[in-house]
Amino acid sequence: MGDARRSTGGEERGAVLALGFGTTVAMWIVGYVLRLPGIAAPSWLLLVVFVVLLLAGGVAAGRLTWGGAARGAAVGLLVAALNMLVLGSLLSGERPGEIRPSAALFVPGALAFGAVLGAVGAVLGASWRARRGLSMHIEGVFVSSFAVIAAVATLALVAIGGVVTSQEAGLAVVDWPNSYGYNMFLYPLARMTGGVYFEHAHRLFGALVGLTTVTLAGLLFATDRRRGVRLAAVAAVLLVIVQGVLGGLRVTGTFTLSTSPEDMRPSVALAIVHGVTGQVFFSLLIGLAVVSSRTWRGPAVPGRYASVSNDRLLSAGLLATLLLQLVLGALYRHAGVGLAYHMSWAGVVAMLAGMAGLRAWGLYGL
């Protein structure tokens, strides 16, 4: 029937973070696809889609939390604030460093619009929950949900990075951390066309993934006492920072604010490293999502099996072959060498993955 008990303040705040970041990630993925060259959806359609998604985030807040309109407004405000990483592109003037006078109204207006829309959605969600007599059980859900959101955002980033390479757009923006002299978050939207769109969207999505990773680490430190999980969270933060720097230095070859192509020394070697570490980072977030899940942290006591040493050996072998396959794939993608090795080694990876999966399924009933 009704709700058995109210959740704690920490759980509510965590739910706001999960819903806010989750809604934002969904908006960015949909927006990226709709703005791809060849699709180029009109602005009005993008606005409609974003309004619907923001309303959905508010509805989820009303359905899953006790805060009602206030909690929905918090979700909407967070979404609007995160979207400023992209909406800043509407505020730039004709030259780097110039900000349109309308920014003084646009920024607070966008934040207020997000808060109001989230609040409306929350009222609708709470009303729907009350009519159906639904119960809420969100204890421990928000951390695991946020970890999944971080993994999904990273998967999207890896895919977007793959598009950059496929379109040979890795050097479409000649400078870094700026973009043609503009602050990266203020580069005019009208100029994001062709290869610049692919490369610049990758940079912006990387910034969102960085914020998501830092927030996830904060949540884990606040809620999880396991030392290994905390160390993994720190490793994720360090790795996402390193990954961002690698991506930038792949373009410039050195730390410089110059916008002249003659001053840049693009590095294929760093592009290869960037490609490999990106997927390693994604794997780390998958691991954090798994160990943060309620299933992993459930009351079941792990069993002891005599075959565990063989399982560990097989898993370690699979991990090593996967890493080598990533390197071979990156070599082919960025340097155009080693295709035969990459394809042949794929057979070894598939064989070990099949063995590990069948063994787990057969011995442990997975």
Side-chain angles (χ1 to χ4, degrees), residues 171-176 180-181 250-254 256-267:
L171 302 176
V173 181
V174 298
D175 53 338
W176 175 84
Y180 288 105
R250 177 265 185 278
V251 174
T252 65
T254 184
T256 177
L257 293 178
S258 173
T259 59
S260 173
E262 289 75 19
D263 295 333
M264 307 304 168
R265 297 190 294 275
S267 172

Side-chain angles (χ1 to χ4, degrees), residues 313-334:
L313 181 61
L314 182 58
S315 299
L318 176 59
L319 178 60
T321 56
L322 280 170
L323 287 174
L324 179 55
Q325 179 71 341
L326 287 178
V327 174
L328 292 172
L331 282 170
Y332 175 67
R333 289 279 282 177
H334 295 284

Side-chain angles (χ1 to χ4, degrees), residues 29-41 160 163 167 197-198 201:
I29 292 174
V30 173
Y32 174 81
V33 173
L34 291 180
R35 291 296 296 174
L36 281 171
I39 300 178
I160 292 170
V163 173
Q167 296 295 321
Y197 174 77
F198 295 122

Side-chain angles (χ1 to χ4, degrees), residues 185-206:
F185 304 110
L186 298 175
Y187 186 71
L189 182 63
R191 300 186 185 185
M192 296 182 199
T193 59
V196 173
Y197 174 77
F198 295 122
E199 168 62 8
H200 195 69
H202 182 54
R203 295 185 180 191
L204 293 176
F205 221 106

